[in-house]
Amino acid sequence: MKKIEKKLHLGIPKGSLQNATIELFKKAGYIINISPRSYFPSIDDVEIECMLIRAQEMARYVEDGILDAGITGYDWVAEYGAQVDSITTLVYGKTGRKPVRWVLAVPENSDIAGPGDLEGRRIATEAVGMTTRYLAKHGVNADVEFSWGATEVKPPVLADAIVEITETGSSLRANNLKIIDTIMESVTHFIANQNSMKNEWKKKKIDTIALLLNAALDAGSRVGLMMNLPETALEKVLEILPSLEAPTVSQLHEDGWVAINTIIDEHKVRDSIPALKEAGASGIVEYPLNKVVY
């Protein structure tokens, strides 16, 4: 009898998160190749089978067990009330490492100033469930219509207001819309089917992927620094250096000299290097990181 290979069915978000997700997996050590004619990307791990799924649908397919795990925004998990396990948050997106917002927006010249002014109005959105719950919380009755896309262009002719997702707000401003409230903030989550997490092999595989994805994200905002310095300057240099943990200090062959290796936030490097040089460090080398595992 032919042996059945173990497979983890993994959902990759199609659309705005697709390229950022492929790049994140690459940094984590997984090479994913997407064919324009296929919804089943190849991956250099024989134990994983990928499928491209719209982020809006990911939680439903993971909940139903069609996929063992997938990547999607927590907003879509909340929208459908999907019963899935959130393995980890992955703060990244098409424009950077920050949450996205679902906002209530209206035309610049609208008389709508807050949720109370939406009574009897028409709202277009892709997140009908989220918007309906928001209105109910404020005791407002309004007509919520599902939008199939291009939601920003609907006011004022096709809708009085919209509930739309945004990272920077630039698309809203380009369409002469202003934000009057934030309904929720969301970041990307790595989610898993609850039954899959009860399977020892699948759980270990999912946890490994989560570990490596987080390691790649943590490395993205940090760099390594190594340098040489006289022992007499060690105390002063250590006061300058921020680090994840205590820097590694090694004795050099030359008496009275040591080497330091450490990891710091990338945005602190430009201030740290001149201060380190002044304190007595030399041979300072900055190097990029692929992964940082705590």
Side-chain angles (χ1 to χ4, degrees):
M1 181 180 292
K2 185 177 179 180
K3 182 179 178 181
I4 300 175
E5 294 182 357
K6 293 179 179 178
K7 287 284 185 182
L8 185 82
H9 298 279
L10 177 66
I12 303 296
K14 180 176 175 60
S16 62
L17 274 179
Q18 180 176 312
N19 290 338
T21 300
I22 299 302
E23 184 61 27
L24 176 59
F25 269 83
K26 182 179 180 180
K27 291 178 180 178
Y30 299 94
I31 304 301
I32 299 175
N33 292 304
I34 297 178
S35 168
R37 297 185 179 182
S38 175
Y39 279 81
F40 295 91
S42 64
I43 184 170
D44 62 342
D45 186 327
V46 295
E47 296 178 338
I48 300 176
E49 183 174 281
C50 295
M51 185 174 185
L52 281 177
I53 298 289
R54 294 177 73 236
Q56 295 90 326
E57 301 176 289
M58 189 74 70
R60 294 192 294 111
Y61 289 122
V62 172
E63 179 182 33
D64 292 342
I66 298 171
L67 296 170
D68 294 303
I71 292 176
T72 187
Y74 184 74
D75 45 353
W76 295 115
V77 177
E79 169 71 5
Y80 297 109
Q83 298 301 304
V84 296
D85 286 351
S86 177
I87 306 305
T88 186
T89 57
L90 300 168
V91 186
Y92 75 102
K94 61 181 180 180
T95 62
R97 289 170 59 97
K98 58 183 179 181
V100 296
R101 294 186 297 154
W102 281 93
V103 298
L104 175 63
V106 298
E108 288 283 357
N109 60 358
S110 174
D111 62 349
I112 300 173
D117 299 323
L118 293 170
E119 186 70 34
R121 304 294 185 104
R122 179 176 296 169
I123 306 170
T125 184
E126 194 175 356
V128 173
M130 183 192 308
T131 304
T132 301
R133 290 190 292 271
Y134 170 80
L135 294 172
K137 183 178 71 173
H138 290 280
V140 174
N141 292 308
D143 183 11
V144 181
E145 295 183 348
F146 180 78
S147 174
W148 292 95
T151 307
E152 299 98 325
V153 305
K154 295 187 175 179
V157 178
L158 300 177
D160 299 297
I162 64 171
V163 171
E164 180 65 326
I165 193 170
T166 183
E167 283 193 70
T168 65
S170 58
S171 180
L172 296 173
R173 291 190 294 271
N175 286 279
N176 300 312
L177 299 174
K178 61 182 179 181
I179 297 171
I180 61 173
D181 200 6
T182 296
I183 292 180
M184 79 170 294
E185 288 191 346
S186 176
V187 296
T188 306
H189 279 231
F190 185 36
I191 61 173
N193 175 269
Q194 293 180 341
N195 286 328
S196 296
M197 290 301 288
K198 296 175 183 176
N199 179 293
E200 185 178 352
W201 181 85
K202 289 184 178 182
K203 181 181 185 304
K204 183 177 180 180
K205 192 73 176 178
I206 290 168
D207 288 342
T208 296
I209 295 171
L211 172 70
L212 294 174
L213 291 176
N214 274 312
L217 281 175
D218 288 333
S221 61
R222 296 182 172 91
V223 295
L225 273 185
M226 55 185 179
M227 68 207 75
N228 299 331
L229 60 145
E231 283 186 285
T232 54
L234 181 58
E235 185 174 343
K236 190 172 182 180
V237 167
L238 291 178
E239 289 176 356
I240 296 170
L241 281 176
S243 65
L244 290 179
E245 297 179 358
T248 300
V249 181
S250 305
Q251 194 74 42
L252 293 180
H253 179 70
E254 184 177 351
D255 288 341
W257 281 77
V258 295
I260 287 182
N261 201 332
T262 191
I263 296 172
I264 70 172
D265 290 335
E266 187 174 19
H267 71 276
K268 296 179 179 178
V269 171
R270 68 180 185 185
D271 295 323
S272 297
I273 288 180
L276 291 168
K277 179 71 174 175
E278 187 177 346
S282 61
I284 303 172
V285 177
E286 174 187 344
Y287 55 93
L289 304 171
N290 289 325
K291 302 177 188 68
V292 175
V293 180
Y294 293 102

